[in-house]
Amino acid sequence: MLPLTAPAASASTPTPELPFGRPGRSMSGNPFMFGFTAALGVLTAWWLVQAVMSASSVLILIIVSLFLAIGLNPAVEALQKRHLPRVVAIIIVFLCVILVFVAFGLAVVPPLTTQSTEFVDKLPQYVQELQNNPTIRDLDQRFQLLTKLQQYVTSGDFGTQMFGGVLGIGSVVIGAVFNSLTVLVLTLYFLGSLNSLKKLAYRLVPRSRRTRASLLGDQIIDSIGGYVAGNLIISLIAGVTTFFFLTFMEVPYALALALLVALTDLIPLVGAFIGAGVASLVGFFVSPTVGVVCLIFFTIYQQIENYWIAPSVMKSSVDVPPLATIVGALLGGALLGVLGALLGIPLVAAILLILREVVFPRQERA
């Protein structure tokens, strides 16, 4: 008689080593699992893109605040070298920034209020001049333009649209004030915790490469800070020079126009032309001779700034070729507008530094 043998254990039979049974065959090669995983990855990527787009306005405020904090850090460190505590240095620099904003508001708001009041007071006179104009009178007789304008103004639609426009302007102003306060608060926090943020970022790098990464990171931060500081110095020179020139030419609102020229001078490529154009236009309102003199002055000053002031100020901060500067400003402006144009040049400087110190040596060793 043949000996009886125990039946073979099933794959799902629990054993002391596998109390829940032997695992089944892997489903990694299953087409269904592959399609499900791919679809899940696409949905996750789409959700992340939507989340970033929804929070884009907040992210822009954070980037602007971090950029300003890095730009103001050299001033804070300069005060620290004079044996001031970092907290005191941050408070002094921050108060100077607030004073600049307050001075700009005090210089710009009163002229705008005065001119708006004068326009409203002279509006009946402008309407009377239009009625006395032969061309306007002929068009009014043919198409009843003034009559239709009067009917539209006295109708309810005009009041509704006017009220909506006022609300729209009010919401824009409130949003701008809120964003400005948010940027100021975030800049203050970033300034206070900039050193700890750098240490935290460097700890994400492997220990063997941490020293080199910290040196490169410090150099990038110094370049960005030098660029912002240099840009502020160049804009300050432009504003002060414009103020004295417009005061000498007896152009009204010289302080407001000088501040406008200084602010627009921060914008790469086109900012200087915008400020100079506005100031020259106001000069033409004074007289054609004053307007022409303003155009000549700003043309000469731009050449001096481009070929002498800017190279002298920027030579120790950001070393970026002119072509890279133009490309960075154009690409940044196309992506993020004025903010992108401002961030484009220091980001190009950072990319060039990484290429020069990391990528090119690695390619030479390969």
Side-chain angles (χ1 to χ4, degrees):
M1 182 180 353
L2 296 173
L4 297 176
T5 57
S10 174
S12 60
T13 302
T15 62
E17 295 80 8
L18 300 171
F20 298 102
R22 189 179 302 277
R25 189 176 62 180
S26 175
M27 298 183 66
S28 59
N30 192 310
F32 173 78
M33 290 300 300
F34 176 78
F36 178 78
T37 304
L40 186 62
V42 172
L43 290 176
T44 303
W46 178 83
W47 177 79
L48 289 175
V49 171
Q50 294 297 319
V52 171
M53 293 180 62
S54 301
S56 59
S57 59
V58 178
L59 292 176
I60 289 175
L61 293 180
I62 294 174
I63 293 173
V64 171
S65 303
L66 183 59
F67 184 75
L68 290 176
I70 294 174
L72 295 175
N73 189 58
V76 174
E77 292 181 349
L79 292 176
Q80 283 185 274
K81 292 179 181 179
R82 298 180 178 272
H83 307 291
L84 287 177
R86 184 172 178 85
V87 176
V88 178
I90 291 175
I91 293 174
I92 294 174
V93 172
F94 203 69
L95 287 177
C96 292
V97 173
I98 294 177
L99 288 176
V100 170
F101 278 99
V102 172
F104 180 77
L106 293 177
V108 172
V109 173
L112 290 178
T113 305
T114 303
Q115 291 180 359
S116 300
T117 305
E118 292 177 355
F119 177 77
V120 172
D121 294 337
K122 294 182 179 180
L123 187 59
Q125 178 182 350
Y126 295 152
V127 174
Q128 185 64 35
E129 292 177 356
L130 288 176
Q131 292 177 344
N132 295 333
N133 187 283
T135 304
I136 299 297
R137 189 186 309 114
D138 180 64
L139 291 174
D140 182 45
Q141 292 176 355
R142 295 173 57 185
F143 302 103
Q144 291 80 38
L145 295 178
L146 296 179
T147 303
K148 293 180 180 179
L149 178 62
Q150 185 178 4
Q151 292 176 354
Y152 176 70
V153 171
T154 56
S155 65
D157 294 338
F158 176 78
T160 303
Q161 295 180 6
M162 188 68 181
F163 186 70
V166 171
L167 288 180
I169 295 174
S171 63
V172 170
V173 172
I174 293 174
V177 172
F178 176 77
N179 290 337
S180 301
L181 292 176
T182 303
V183 168
L184 289 176
V185 173
L186 288 176
T187 302
L188 180 62
Y189 278 107
F190 280 134
L191 268 177
S193 58
L194 188 60
N195 292 331
S196 60
L197 288 176
K198 289 195 300 183
K199 293 179 181 179
L200 178 62
Y202 295 153
R203 290 189 63 183
L204 299 176
V205 181
R207 185 181 183 88
S208 59
R209 303 180 180 179
R210 192 171 298 165
T211 302
R212 181 169 172 79
S214 61
L215 292 175
L216 288 173
D218 290 342
Q219 181 62 41
I220 291 173
I221 291 175
D222 291 341
S223 298
I224 295 175
Y227 169 76
V228 175
N231 233 4
L232 290 176
I233 293 173
I234 295 172
S235 297
L236 178 63
I237 295 173
V240 172
T241 306
T242 301
F243 173 74
F244 284 112
F245 170 76
L246 295 179
T247 303
F248 175 76
M249 297 299 298
E250 298 182 352
V251 177
Y253 313 120
L255 179 58
L257 292 174
L259 288 174
L260 179 63
V261 169
L263 287 177
T264 55
D265 198 62
L266 294 171
I267 305 173
L269 301 181
V270 298
F273 296 100
I274 296 174
V278 173
S280 300
L281 182 62
V282 176
F284 275 107
F285 287 152
V286 176
S287 71
T289 304
V290 174
V292 172
V293 173
C294 289
L295 286 176
I296 296 174
F297 165 78
F298 284 113
T299 302
I300 297 175
Y301 177 79
Q302 286 305 314
Q303 302 306 313
I304 296 175
E305 180 182 291
N306 293 334
Y307 293 101
W308 184 64
I309 298 177
S312 300
V313 174
M314 291 294 190
K315 65 180 180 181
S316 59
S317 57
V318 180
D319 184 16
V320 183
L323 179 60
T325 301
I326 297 174
V327 172
L330 291 177
L331 290 178
L335 293 175
L336 294 176
V338 176
L339 173 62
L342 291 173
L343 297 178
I345 297 176
L347 289 180
V348 168
I351 293 173
L352 290 178
L353 177 64
I354 294 174
L355 289 175
R356 185 171 59 249
E357 298 295 334
V358 179
V359 178
F360 292 158
R362 184 176 299 174
Q363 293 298 105
E364 292 295 329
R365 293 193 302 266

